[in-house]
Amino acid sequence: MAEIKKVGIVGCGLMGHGIAQVVATAGYDVVVREVDDATLQKGLGKIEKQLARAVEKGKSTQEDADAIRARLNGTTDYADFADADLIIEAITENLGLKLEMWKELDAIVKPDAIFATNTSSLAVIDQAASTSRPTLFAGLHFFNPAQVMKLVEVVRGVTTTDETFDAVLAFAESLQGKIAIPTRDKAGFIVNRLLVPYMLDAMRAYEEGVGSIAEIDAAMKAGAGHPMGPLTLADLVGNDTTGAICDVLFDEFRERRFAQPPILRKMLSAGWYGRKAGIGFYDYSGDEPVENPGLAR
Ligand code: 3HC
């Protein structure tokens, strides 16, 4: 197994751009791939904005920001991953798409490179088994916003060898300010197993009229010390992502606490995916978010 120097990241969206920034900040060479140039430039633009903001705030020097940016290369071509030592996928939470992606990468990336999935809920083994390198496969689960949240869950699949696991754990620990916590390959790992039912319960509480969207959020901030309320959080995570995670958890455990509440299903049909769509539990089109009026209809 090669020493990790170059990291390929698949996806420069909500999670991928943050992961790319964190990995480049830690001194690794990064190549991040998107499906087309416009999507890639959008993701790279977000990173450039964050780097500029850090310089403005005096949290980073211009020299450091430039060095981080210089370590980051964008691509639309998987061929640029051929000599990467570690690949982290951060694409849509859809097993079929992830399997197609691994199949393509498996044929291109050098055989001793490690593959890691940033899946929120899918079993690592289901992806590992589709490749020619199940022993070199693990989970590296980052949290949104990846630049800020300290945790990285490091997931040991049933086929992950000790050597692979130790390498990805050491990699996660090498990322500045990150806390790496090992977990076993159980759907939802530690955080989403606990956090997703909590967000779904907040949706049910709203459906049952316990409080308004803003009241439920304000109550959990003021009463439980959470940095943001559960419905604001659902909008941040993306209601589409939360919907995909709870479908996986429900399929796995068949427990009501993981089932999509009707309000979530309707929001997904309406395209109200949250902050990234400009509308979710809140409407973000004005200066300040306001409760989505459509939900009261
Ligand atoms: N990207 C990069 N940096 C960001 C950011 C973003 N999207 N959002 C906020 N930040 C930075 C800000 O620039 C600021 O940096 P500074 O300290 O250097 O000035 C810092 O974070 C704090 O931001 P703000 O002052 O604007 O706002 P808050 O103090 O309210 O913090 C928050 C924002 C960090 C998002 C905080 O509200 C929080 O921790 N919320 C909970 C988030 C959470 O639970 N995430 C996990 C979701 S679950 C998940 O990701 C799992 C997945 O599988 C679904």
Side-chain angles (χ1 to χ4, degrees):
M1 186 186 303
E3 185 192 344
I4 298 174
K5 288 186 182 150
K6 177 173 171 180
V7 180
I9 295 170
V10 195
C12 197
L14 198 60
M15 293 307 296
H17 89 276
I19 298 171
Q21 186 180 330
V22 166
V23 174
T25 301
Y28 297 94
D29 288 327
V30 173
V31 57
V32 57
R33 189 257 182 194
E34 257 304 345
V35 285
D36 57 49
D37 199 53
T39 317
L40 177 65
Q41 293 313 326
K42 200 172 151 199
L44 292 174
K46 281 197 228 163
I47 297 174
E48 282 161 5
K49 215 166 131 189
Q50 302 285 346
L51 292 174
R53 203 177 289 165
V55 174
E56 266 168 40
K57 285 182 185 164
K59 295 200 163 184
S60 170
T61 62
Q62 187 64 52
E63 203 184 358
D64 284 347
D66 290 345
I68 295 167
R69 183 63 189 86
R71 283 196 288 274
L72 255 163
N73 287 298
T75 186
T76 53
D77 188 354
Y78 282 137
D80 292 325
F81 286 174
D83 61 345
D85 307 299
L86 168 68
I87 305 290
I88 304 173
E89 75 75 23
I91 65 166
T92 311
E93 190 68 347
N94 176 302
L95 184 60
L97 292 179
K98 289 188 198 283
L99 295 186
E100 264 174 43
M101 180 214 69
W102 287 127
K103 192 174 170 199
E104 207 170 325
L105 280 176
D106 206 17
I108 294 171
V109 182
K110 62 181 183 180
D112 62 344
I114 297 175
F115 284 179
T117 171
N118 178 55
T119 181
S120 311
S121 54
L122 295 164
V124 167
I125 183 58
D126 291 345
Q127 294 180 60
S130 76
T131 70
S132 66
R133 57 186 97 194
T135 56
L136 283 166
F137 203 108
L140 274 174
H141 185 210
F142 291 78
F143 292 79
N144 183 14
Q147 297 94 331
V148 183
M149 304 310 288
K150 293 196 177 87
L151 178 63
V152 183
E153 289 177 323
V154 184
V155 189
R156 186 196 288 261
V158 290
T159 53
T160 313
T161 58
D162 288 347
E163 199 188 1
T164 301
F165 184 75
D166 291 347
V168 286
L169 186 63
F171 169 78
E173 284 169 345
S174 75
L175 303 175
Q176 269 167 28
K178 294 291 179 230
I179 296 172
I181 298 195
T183 93
R184 289 176 66 195
D185 190 15
K186 305 273 179 190
F189 315 125
I190 296 172
V191 172
N192 281 336
R193 186 190 181 109
L194 302 177
L195 190 64
V196 170
Y198 158 68
M199 288 193 287
L200 299 181
D201 256 345
M203 296 176 199
R204 292 189 189 101
Y206 171 66
E207 278 181 317
E208 290 166 21
V210 176
S212 70
I213 293 168
E215 284 163 349
I216 290 170
D217 277 345
M220 289 310 292
K221 280 173 73 178
H226 290 195
M228 55 174 44
L231 301 171
T232 302
L233 181 60
D235 274 358
L236 176 77
V237 167
N239 294 304
D240 52 339
T241 300
T242 303
I245 297 171
C246 60
D247 285 350
V248 172
L249 294 176
F250 186 76
D251 276 354
E252 184 81 0
F253 300 112
R254 302 279 157 183
E255 291 176 26
R256 179 186 181 266
R257 67 196 173 112
F258 297 118
Q260 282 195 27
I263 191 173
L264 179 59
R265 304 188 71 84
K266 286 183 201 157
M267 291 177 74
L268 298 187
S269 296
W272 293 341
Y273 294 162
R275 212 178 269 193
K276 64 187 169 189
I279 188 158
F281 286 96
Y282 295 89
D283 180 340
Y284 298 90
S285 57
D287 289 342
E288 289 294 324
V290 293
E291 287 192 23
N292 176 351
L295 291 173
R297 279 179 211 130

PDB file of all heavy atoms in Angstrom, residues 146-169:
ATOM      1  N   ALA A 146     -18.216  20.491   5.931  1.00  0.00           N
ATOM      2  CA  ALA A 146     -17.018  19.671   6.184  1.00  0.00           C
ATOM      3  C   ALA A 146     -15.835  20.506   6.672  1.00  0.00           C
ATOM      4  O   ALA A 146     -14.978  20.011   7.391  1.00  0.00           O
ATOM      5  CB  ALA A 146     -16.643  18.905   4.921  1.00  0.00           C
ATOM      6  N   GLN A 147     -15.807  21.782   6.278  1.00  0.00           N
ATOM      7  CA  GLN A 147     -14.686  22.640   6.713  1.00  0.00           C
ATOM      8  C   GLN A 147     -14.773  22.938   8.210  1.00  0.00           C
ATOM      9  O   GLN A 147     -13.781  23.276   8.835  1.00  0.00           O
ATOM     10  CB  GLN A 147     -14.711  24.000   5.976  1.00  0.00           C
ATOM     11  CG  GLN A 147     -14.523  23.919   4.493  1.00  0.00           C
ATOM     12  CD  GLN A 147     -15.839  23.870   3.747  1.00  0.00           C
ATOM     13  OE1 GLN A 147     -16.838  23.383   4.259  1.00  0.00           O
ATOM     14  NE2 GLN A 147     -15.839  24.341   2.522  1.00  0.00           N
ATOM     15  N   VAL A 148     -15.990  22.834   8.756  1.00  0.00           N
ATOM     16  CA  VAL A 148     -16.215  23.288  10.135  1.00  0.00           C
ATOM     17  C   VAL A 148     -16.410  22.117  11.109  1.00  0.00           C
ATOM     18  O   VAL A 148     -15.890  22.140  12.230  1.00  0.00           O
ATOM     19  CB  VAL A 148     -17.477  24.200  10.202  1.00  0.00           C
ATOM     20  CG1 VAL A 148     -17.689  24.731  11.611  1.00  0.00           C
ATOM     21  CG2 VAL A 148     -17.383  25.342   9.197  1.00  0.00           C
ATOM     22  N   MET A 149     -17.180  21.124  10.702  1.00  0.00           N
ATOM     23  CA  MET A 149     -17.537  20.049  11.636  1.00  0.00           C
ATOM     24  C   MET A 149     -16.305  19.180  11.895  1.00  0.00           C
ATOM     25  O   MET A 149     -15.607  18.779  10.958  1.00  0.00           O
ATOM     26  CB  MET A 149     -18.692  19.187  11.080  1.00  0.00           C
ATOM     27  CG  MET A 149     -19.948  19.985  10.738  1.00  0.00           C
ATOM     28  SD  MET A 149     -20.526  21.093  12.034  1.00  0.00           S
ATOM     29  CE  MET A 149     -21.180  19.933  13.208  1.00  0.00           C
ATOM     30  N   LYS A 150     -16.087  18.883  13.181  1.00  0.00           N
ATOM     31  CA  LYS A 150     -14.818  18.233  13.554  1.00  0.00           C
ATOM     32  C   LYS A 150     -14.783  16.736  13.247  1.00  0.00           C
ATOM     33  O   LYS A 150     -13.737  16.156  13.033  1.00  0.00           O
ATOM     34  CB  LYS A 150     -14.600  18.403  15.062  1.00  0.00           C
ATOM     35  CG  LYS A 150     -14.358  19.832  15.484  1.00  0.00           C
ATOM     36  CD  LYS A 150     -13.774  19.841  16.891  1.00  0.00           C
ATOM     37  CE  LYS A 150     -13.434  21.237  17.345  1.00  0.00           C
ATOM     38  NZ  LYS A 150     -14.563  21.917  17.954  1.00  0.00           N
ATOM     39  N   LEU A 151     -15.951  16.110  13.250  1.00  0.00           N
ATOM     40  CA  LEU A 151     -15.965  14.643  13.199  1.00  0.00           C
ATOM     41  C   LEU A 151     -15.715  14.063  11.799  1.00  0.00           C
ATOM     42  O   LEU A 151     -16.246  14.562  10.807  1.00  0.00           O
ATOM     43  CB  LEU A 151     -17.330  14.135  13.692  1.00  0.00           C
ATOM     44  CG  LEU A 151     -17.531  12.619  13.658  1.00  0.00           C
ATOM     45  CD1 LEU A 151     -16.553  11.902  14.583  1.00  0.00           C
ATOM     46  CD2 LEU A 151     -18.971  12.251  14.041  1.00  0.00           C
ATOM     47  N   VAL A 152     -14.932  12.992  11.781  1.00  0.00           N
ATOM     48  CA  VAL A 152     -14.897  12.101  10.612  1.00  0.00           C
ATOM     49  C   VAL A 152     -15.122  10.691  11.158  1.00  0.00           C
ATOM     50  O   VAL A 152     -14.336  10.214  11.993  1.00  0.00           O
ATOM     51  CB  VAL A 152     -13.541  12.136   9.867  1.00  0.00           C
ATOM     52  CG1 VAL A 152     -13.597  11.258   8.621  1.00  0.00           C
ATOM     53  CG2 VAL A 152     -13.144  13.560   9.484  1.00  0.00           C
ATOM     54  N   GLU A 153     -16.211  10.053  10.732  1.00  0.00           N
ATOM     55  CA  GLU A 153     -16.422   8.654  11.115  1.00  0.00           C
ATOM     56  C   GLU A 153     -15.579   7.796  10.174  1.00  0.00           C
ATOM     57  O   GLU A 153     -15.658   7.953   8.945  1.00  0.00           O
ATOM     58  CB  GLU A 153     -17.901   8.271  10.998  1.00  0.00           C
ATOM     59  CG  GLU A 153     -18.764   8.915  12.075  1.00  0.00           C
ATOM     60  CD  GLU A 153     -20.254   8.595  11.923  1.00  0.00           C
ATOM     61  OE1 GLU A 153     -20.760   8.522  10.792  1.00  0.00           O
ATOM     62  OE2 GLU A 153     -20.918   8.434  12.955  1.00  0.00           O
ATOM     63  N   VAL A 154     -14.795   6.908  10.757  1.00  0.00           N
ATOM     64  CA  VAL A 154     -13.939   6.039   9.943  1.00  0.00           C
ATOM     65  C   VAL A 154     -14.534   4.633  10.051  1.00  0.00           C
ATOM     66  O   VAL A 154     -14.560   4.038  11.128  1.00  0.00           O
ATOM     67  CB  VAL A 154     -12.484   6.077  10.441  1.00  0.00           C
ATOM     68  CG1 VAL A 154     -11.590   5.241   9.534  1.00  0.00           C
ATOM     69  CG2 VAL A 154     -11.970   7.515  10.497  1.00  0.00           C
ATOM     70  N   VAL A 155     -15.035   4.159   8.912  1.00  0.00           N
ATOM     71  CA  VAL A 155     -15.866   2.955   8.955  1.00  0.00           C
ATOM     72  C   VAL A 155     -15.090   1.744   8.458  1.00  0.00           C
ATOM     73  O   VAL A 155     -14.537   1.740   7.354  1.00  0.00           O
ATOM     74  CB  VAL A 155     -17.134   3.144   8.087  1.00  0.00           C
ATOM     75  CG1 VAL A 155     -18.092   1.982   8.312  1.00  0.00           C
ATOM     76  CG2 VAL A 155     -17.813   4.469   8.394  1.00  0.00           C
ATOM     77  N   ARG A 156     -15.081   0.720   9.309  1.00  0.00           N
ATOM     78  CA  ARG A 156     -14.414  -0.535   8.954  1.00  0.00           C
ATOM     79  C   ARG A 156     -15.460  -1.490   8.377  1.00  0.00           C
ATOM     80  O   ARG A 156     -16.377  -1.913   9.083  1.00  0.00           O
ATOM     81  CB  ARG A 156     -13.804  -1.150  10.214  1.00  0.00           C
ATOM     82  CG  ARG A 156     -12.952  -2.374   9.961  1.00  0.00           C
ATOM     83  CD  ARG A 156     -12.731  -3.113  11.259  1.00  0.00           C
ATOM     84  NE  ARG A 156     -11.831  -2.420  12.156  1.00  0.00           N
ATOM     85  CZ  ARG A 156     -10.528  -2.720  12.291  1.00  0.00           C
ATOM     86  NH1 ARG A 156     -10.005  -3.678  11.591  1.00  0.00           N
ATOM     87  NH2 ARG A 156      -9.777  -2.057  13.139  1.00  0.00           N
ATOM     88  N   GLY A 157     -15.352  -1.779   7.094  1.00  0.00           N
ATOM     89  CA  GLY A 157     -16.246  -2.772   6.500  1.00  0.00           C
ATOM     90  C   GLY A 157     -15.772  -4.164   6.874  1.00  0.00           C
ATOM     91  O   GLY A 157     -14.648  -4.330   7.374  1.00  0.00           O
ATOM     92  N   VAL A 158     -16.595  -5.160   6.613  1.00  0.00           N
ATOM     93  CA  VAL A 158     -16.213  -6.520   7.029  1.00  0.00           C
ATOM     94  C   VAL A 158     -14.993  -7.051   6.274  1.00  0.00           C
ATOM     95  O   VAL A 158     -14.314  -7.958   6.750  1.00  0.00           O
ATOM     96  CB  VAL A 158     -17.400  -7.517   6.922  1.00  0.00           C
ATOM     97  CG1 VAL A 158     -18.454  -7.236   7.972  1.00  0.00           C
ATOM     98  CG2 VAL A 158     -18.014  -7.535   5.525  1.00  0.00           C
ATOM     99  N   THR A 159     -14.734  -6.462   5.093  1.00  0.00           N
ATOM    100  CA  THR A 159     -13.567  -6.928   4.325  1.00  0.00           C
ATOM    101  C   THR A 159     -12.348  -6.010   4.469  1.00  0.00           C
ATOM    102  O   THR A 159     -11.282  -6.302   3.926  1.00  0.00           O
ATOM    103  CB  THR A 159     -13.920  -7.023   2.816  1.00  0.00           C
ATOM    104  OG1 THR A 159     -14.454  -5.760   2.407  1.00  0.00           O
ATOM    105  CG2 THR A 159     -14.927  -8.112   2.538  1.00  0.00           C
ATOM    106  N   THR A 160     -12.517  -4.885   5.165  1.00  0.00           N
ATOM    107  CA  THR A 160     -11.408  -3.916   5.325  1.00  0.00           C
ATOM    108  C   THR A 160     -10.311  -4.547   6.181  1.00  0.00           C
ATOM    109  O   THR A 160     -10.578  -4.985   7.302  1.00  0.00           O
ATOM    110  CB  THR A 160     -11.916  -2.634   6.044  1.00  0.00           C
ATOM    111  OG1 THR A 160     -13.121  -2.207   5.447  1.00  0.00           O
ATOM    112  CG2 THR A 160     -10.873  -1.524   6.004  1.00  0.00           C
ATOM    113  N   THR A 161      -9.087  -4.583   5.659  1.00  0.00           N
ATOM    114  CA  THR A 161      -8.004  -5.161   6.474  1.00  0.00           C
ATOM    115  C   THR A 161      -7.551  -4.163   7.536  1.00  0.00           C
ATOM    116  O   THR A 161      -7.804  -2.954   7.413  1.00  0.00           O
ATOM    117  CB  THR A 161      -6.771  -5.497   5.600  1.00  0.00           C
ATOM    118  OG1 THR A 161      -6.358  -4.282   4.966  1.00  0.00           O
ATOM    119  CG2 THR A 161      -7.076  -6.554   4.568  1.00  0.00           C
ATOM    120  N   ASP A 162      -6.835  -4.668   8.548  1.00  0.00           N
ATOM    121  CA  ASP A 162      -6.300  -3.782   9.596  1.00  0.00           C
ATOM    122  C   ASP A 162      -5.402  -2.717   8.979  1.00  0.00           C
ATOM    123  O   ASP A 162      -5.428  -1.556   9.372  1.00  0.00           O
ATOM    124  CB  ASP A 162      -5.486  -4.587  10.627  1.00  0.00           C
ATOM    125  CG  ASP A 162      -6.388  -5.424  11.507  1.00  0.00           C
ATOM    126  OD1 ASP A 162      -7.623  -5.195  11.487  1.00  0.00           O
ATOM    127  OD2 ASP A 162      -5.869  -6.319  12.203  1.00  0.00           O
ATOM    128  N   GLU A 163      -4.606  -3.137   7.994  1.00  0.00           N
ATOM    129  CA  GLU A 163      -3.662  -2.201   7.367  1.00  0.00           C
ATOM    130  C   GLU A 163      -4.406  -1.047   6.682  1.00  0.00           C
ATOM    131  O   GLU A 163      -4.037   0.123   6.830  1.00  0.00           O
ATOM    132  CB  GLU A 163      -2.820  -2.979   6.349  1.00  0.00           C
ATOM    133  CG  GLU A 163      -1.549  -2.277   5.977  1.00  0.00           C
ATOM    134  CD  GLU A 163      -0.833  -2.968   4.813  1.00  0.00           C
ATOM    135  OE1 GLU A 163      -1.331  -3.986   4.291  1.00  0.00           O
ATOM    136  OE2 GLU A 163       0.231  -2.456   4.426  1.00  0.00           O
ATOM    137  N   THR A 164      -5.476  -1.392   5.962  1.00  0.00           N
ATOM    138  CA  THR A 164      -6.264  -0.348   5.289  1.00  0.00           C
ATOM    139  C   THR A 164      -6.930   0.551   6.324  1.00  0.00           C
ATOM    140  O   THR A 164      -6.903   1.784   6.220  1.00  0.00           O
ATOM    141  CB  THR A 164      -7.357  -0.989   4.395  1.00  0.00           C
ATOM    142  OG1 THR A 164      -6.716  -1.816   3.436  1.00  0.00           O
ATOM    143  CG2 THR A 164      -8.209   0.050   3.710  1.00  0.00           C
ATOM    144  N   PHE A 165      -7.530  -0.082   7.340  1.00  0.00           N
ATOM    145  CA  PHE A 165      -8.241   0.698   8.349  1.00  0.00           C
ATOM    146  C   PHE A 165      -7.274   1.660   9.057  1.00  0.00           C
ATOM    147  O   PHE A 165      -7.581   2.839   9.245  1.00  0.00           O
ATOM    148  CB  PHE A 165      -8.923  -0.222   9.367  1.00  0.00           C
ATOM    149  CG  PHE A 165      -9.742   0.560  10.351  1.00  0.00           C
ATOM    150  CD1 PHE A 165     -10.959   1.104   9.972  1.00  0.00           C
ATOM    151  CD2 PHE A 165      -9.275   0.776  11.636  1.00  0.00           C
ATOM    152  CE1 PHE A 165     -11.701   1.875  10.863  1.00  0.00           C
ATOM    153  CE2 PHE A 165     -10.012   1.543  12.528  1.00  0.00           C
ATOM    154  CZ  PHE A 165     -11.225   2.084  12.142  1.00  0.00           C
ATOM    155  N   ASP A 166      -6.099   1.156   9.431  1.00  0.00           N
ATOM    156  CA  ASP A 166      -5.112   2.002  10.124  1.00  0.00           C
ATOM    157  C   ASP A 166      -4.687   3.167   9.222  1.00  0.00           C
ATOM    158  O   ASP A 166      -4.492   4.283   9.691  1.00  0.00           O
ATOM    159  CB  ASP A 166      -3.881   1.183  10.526  1.00  0.00           C
ATOM    160  CG  ASP A 166      -4.215   0.177  11.625  1.00  0.00           C
ATOM    161  OD1 ASP A 166      -5.309   0.295  12.222  1.00  0.00           O
ATOM    162  OD2 ASP A 166      -3.392  -0.734  11.863  1.00  0.00           O
ATOM    163  N   ALA A 167      -4.571   2.897   7.924  1.00  0.00           N
ATOM    164  CA  ALA A 167      -4.141   3.958   6.994  1.00  0.00           C
ATOM    165  C   ALA A 167      -5.218   5.038   6.875  1.00  0.00           C
ATOM    166  O   ALA A 167      -4.901   6.237   6.896  1.00  0.00           O
ATOM    167  CB  ALA A 167      -3.830   3.364   5.622  1.00  0.00           C
ATOM    168  N   VAL A 168      -6.491   4.649   6.781  1.00  0.00           N
ATOM    169  CA  VAL A 168      -7.528   5.683   6.634  1.00  0.00           C
ATOM    170  C   VAL A 168      -7.755   6.418   7.964  1.00  0.00           C
ATOM    171  O   VAL A 168      -8.024   7.620   7.984  1.00  0.00           O
ATOM    172  CB  VAL A 168      -8.879   5.167   6.051  1.00  0.00           C
ATOM    173  CG1 VAL A 168      -8.764   4.892   4.576  1.00  0.00           C
ATOM    174  CG2 VAL A 168      -9.416   3.979   6.767  1.00  0.00           C
ATOM    175  N   LEU A 169      -7.597   5.684   9.069  1.00  0.00           N
ATOM    176  CA  LEU A 169      -7.724   6.333  10.385  1.00  0.00           C
ATOM    177  C   LEU A 169      -6.607   7.378  10.544  1.00  0.00           C
ATOM    178  O   LEU A 169      -6.862   8.518  10.946  1.00  0.00           O
ATOM    179  CB  LEU A 169      -7.650   5.283  11.497  1.00  0.00           C
ATOM    180  CG  LEU A 169      -7.911   5.770  12.918  1.00  0.00           C
ATOM    181  CD1 LEU A 169      -9.335   6.296  13.071  1.00  0.00           C
ATOM    182  CD2 LEU A 169      -7.668   4.648  13.933  1.00  0.00           C
TER     183      LEU A 169
END
